[in-house]
Amino acid sequence: DSGVTQTPKHLITATGQRVTLRCSPRSGDLSVYWYQQSLDQGLQFLIQYYNGEERAKGNILERFSAQQFPDLHSELNLSSLELGDSALYFCASSAPKNTGELFFGEGSRLTVL
Amino acid sequence: GDSVTQMEGPVTLSEEAFLTINCTYTATGYPSLFWYVQYPGEGLQLLLKATKADDKGSNKGFEATYRKETTSFHLEKGSVQVSDSAVYFCALSDWGDMRFGAGTRLTVKP
């Protein structure tokens, strides 16, 4: 158990819909990262937050947004969903003295029909 | 920008065979290098790491050496087990920005 909690574990929805994925980092970790893992594109970095502020942005679509709340949990919002958004979405957190190690949740599997 | 390239899979080996998964990197600074492993149905977890040139990371029989001259961090294990079947990701971190390779799926057959 990494200490990172993601909900929901599985989600099935239709094209055009909007979903919210939630992540609770390990106790004491200030950084939260979001990654998308699809079969053909490996692990893609989406966005990073540090103590409530956006720190780095990767290949995140404009239809996607994220935020980190004062209690340090984070949400990833995916809107106007397309079939190609079907993937496993991982959240990870890291310690304040970032040694580079990330602790991953078990992921949220999104299926868009 | 910084990036990681690892050998494409899938890789299928028999139990007790020798494993090598190649990883090379491109970075402007002096990154830390990592190998993460993803077992079926689970998230990624750190397998080993090295923070500077010539460092060797090791864990669970796996080893990788940070080679600055060849910009490589190849993963090796002398004798794989069925339980090593997983997807392996090479990664680098420079100033906290973690970049992953595409992953290599390893299947070990009894």
Side-chain angles (χ1 to χ4, degrees), chain A residues 33 35 37 42-43 45 48 90 98-102 104-106, chain B residues 34 36 38 42-44 46 49 89 93 96-100 102:
Chain A
Y33 303 73
Y35 288 86
Q37 184 180 37
L43 202 64
F45 169 65
Q48 179 201 354
F90 283 108
N98 189 358
T99 60
E101 180 177 359
L102 298 186
F104 282 80
E106 293 187 351
Chain B
F34 305 83
Y36 280 80
Q38 183 181 27
E42 299 183 12
L44 282 73
L46 181 66
K49 69 178 183 181
F89 292 88
S93 175
D97 187 9
M98 182 75 81
R99 302 284 171 170
F100 287 86

Side-chain angles (χ1 to χ4, degrees), chain B residues 13-88:
Chain B
L13 296 173
S14 297
E15 208 164 22
E16 298 183 2
F18 184 84
L19 168 71
T20 299
I21 301 178
N22 290 338
C23 171
T24 57
Y25 68 91
T26 303
T28 53
Y30 301 94
S32 295
L33 302 175
F34 305 83
W35 278 99
Y36 280 80
V37 59
Q38 183 181 27
Y39 297 105
E42 299 183 12
L44 282 73
Q45 55 187 275
L46 181 66
L47 179 60
L48 54 84
K49 69 178 183 181
T51 57
K52 61 183 187 298
D54 300 324
D55 269 2
K56 177 187 281 189
S58 61
N59 186 25
K60 299 182 182 179
F62 291 89
E63 291 183 344
T65 301
Y66 191 141
R67 302 281 188 204
K68 190 168 183 291
E69 64 275 13
T70 55
T71 62
S72 65
F73 193 55
H74 305 320
L75 182 68
E76 297 182 336
K77 186 174 186 181
S79 176
V80 294
Q81 306 300 311
V82 172
S83 57
D84 294 326
S85 298
V87 181
Y88 292 83

Side-chain angles (χ1 to χ4, degrees), chain A residues 44-56:
Chain A
Q44 297 290 323
F45 169 65
L46 296 178
I47 198 163
Q48 179 201 354
Y49 281 84
Y50 179 83
N51 203 20
E53 307 246 335
E54 183 183 303
R55 182 81 171 263

